[in-house]
Each structure stands twice: as C-alpha cells, then as structure tokens.
Amino acid sequence: MGLVTDEVRARAEKYTGDELCREKTKEFLKEVDMPNGLLPLKDIEEVGYDRETGVVWLKQKKSITHKFEAIGKLVSYGTEVTAVVEVGKIKKLTGVKAKELLIWVTLNELVLEQPASSGKINFRTPTGLSRTFPVSAFVVPEVEKPAPVKEAIAN
C-alpha cells in the first residue's frame, strides 16, 4: 500500500471488525461530502484514516463485485482500497475498477461536480477517460437505530 506508510499508520485512526469498519467508512465519506454508498465493502478487517494527510485505507477479506442497480454498473473492490480524500474528492484511488462494455477499467479519482447542487459525481481513470453519474445512485438510505429502551422500575 504505497500511500499507507509506517508514519501514516502511526498517526491514523484505525478500526477493526466488519460492523465498526462499515460504520466508520460511512462516517468518513459523510465528512468529505461523498455519497455514503460509494464503498459497499463486506467482511472489512481494517479501516484507517489519517486526517492530517487525508489518507484512507480499507482492507477486506476478499475482493467483491457490487452492482449499482440505479445505473446498472458493476464495480470491483480489491482486498485493499486506498485513497486520499478531501471535501468533494477522492483521489489517488487504488483497488477499484468499473466494468465498461467488456473490460474492467481502473478508477483513480471520484469528484463531485461543482456546484454540488448539480447532483453529479465524476469517475475518472488514469488514462483521462471519465463518466458522470447522479450522486443519488450511490446513496444508501440511513437506517435509524432505535434508542435504547429503559425498563421501568416497578415499585
């Protein structure tokens, strides 16, 4: 993981365990104003975020392929996904590919189009190709966790 040096790891917030890692991934995406469903990973072993440099990494047990139904696109996520994040942008992305026609294309940058009210997100490849999609295709409805119920003490 080229972006994730020992120095970055030492400074970063690190989390382990699938449920906590999924929660933290959504929090990080929300912090940088990106759609919460961009990284639908499973069996996540570790998530790290160095706020100083913006470096984020995610490790999952095995690669997965996810279909974003709203746009009919397949995206493959490797066992390690790394990126540098800032508000409205994920750059230096590694470990993510999208299927275009019959080939898998590496994605290296995701950018919200400005103004943000346009509701569009742009996916870019290292070769300069790009595709734009509605942000709504990558939003997962938030499920409200019920408040803990306190049992009444009977006298």
Side-chain angles (χ1 to χ4, degrees), residues 5-94:
T5 63
D6 289 340
E7 184 182 331
V8 167
R9 285 187 68 79
R11 269 195 316 261
E13 299 170 27
K14 292 181 280 291
Y15 303 94
T16 58
D18 183 53
E19 190 174 333
L20 178 61
C21 288
R22 285 182 193 218
E23 191 177 304
K24 291 299 179 181
T25 299
K26 286 181 182 176
E27 283 178 23
F28 297 152
L29 288 169
K30 190 174 187 176
E31 277 183 36
V32 294
D33 293 334
M34 296 301 271
N36 66 353
L38 271 179
L39 298 168
L41 306 184
K42 297 178 181 170
D43 294 327
I44 305 174
E45 296 176 320
E46 182 180 86
V47 168
Y49 182 28
D50 176 17
R51 292 176 188 282
E52 188 177 310
T53 61
V55 172
V56 173
W57 72 90
L58 304 100
K59 291 183 183 181
Q60 58 183 349
K61 289 182 182 176
K62 60 182 181 181
S63 298
I64 65 159
T65 300
H66 177 80
K67 184 172 186 177
F68 288 98
E69 295 293 341
I71 56 171
K73 289 289 178 192
L74 286 175
V75 178
S76 171
Y77 298 88
T79 55
E80 295 181 5
V81 174
T82 64
V84 175
V85 298
E86 58 188 64
V87 174
K89 185 182 279 190
I90 296 175
K91 56 188 181 181
K92 297 185 181 179
L93 181 64
T94 66

